[in-house]
Amino acid sequence: MKRRYALDNLEVRQLPLERAAELGETFEHVVSTGVLHHLPDPDAGLRALHGVLAPNGALHLMVYAP
């Protein structure tokens, strides 16, 4: 998809959500759709996302399980 749509400013990495801090970056907008509720410890995943969110950033979450 990156090549197909010439998304030159897109960098793709794969790692467990709980290790997001290893990216060494912060983000203005974090989107997590249908992921957190599948983790063994969803709270740890949410903390990891919060840890990489910029101070005035937005976190968009979607879960479809209790």
Side-chain angles (χ1 to χ4, degrees):
M1 296 291 281
K2 180 178 177 175
R3 283 181 300 234
R4 182 178 191 181
Y5 295 104
L7 301 172
D8 298 327
N9 65 342
L10 175 65
E11 184 175 329
V12 179
R13 297 197 195 163
Q14 184 176 352
L15 73 154
L17 181 69
E18 300 90 343
R19 294 174 42 201
E22 292 178 22
L23 296 171
E25 299 184 41
T26 57
F27 301 91
E28 296 291 328
H29 190 195
V30 174
V31 178
S32 176
T33 302
V35 175
L36 286 176
H37 57 277
H38 290 290
L39 299 176
D41 184 355
D43 289 334
L46 185 58
R47 284 191 302 274
L49 293 177
H50 179 263
V52 297
L53 189 63
N56 292 315
L59 178 58
H60 179 106
L61 298 176
M62 191 282 291
V63 295
Y64 52 88

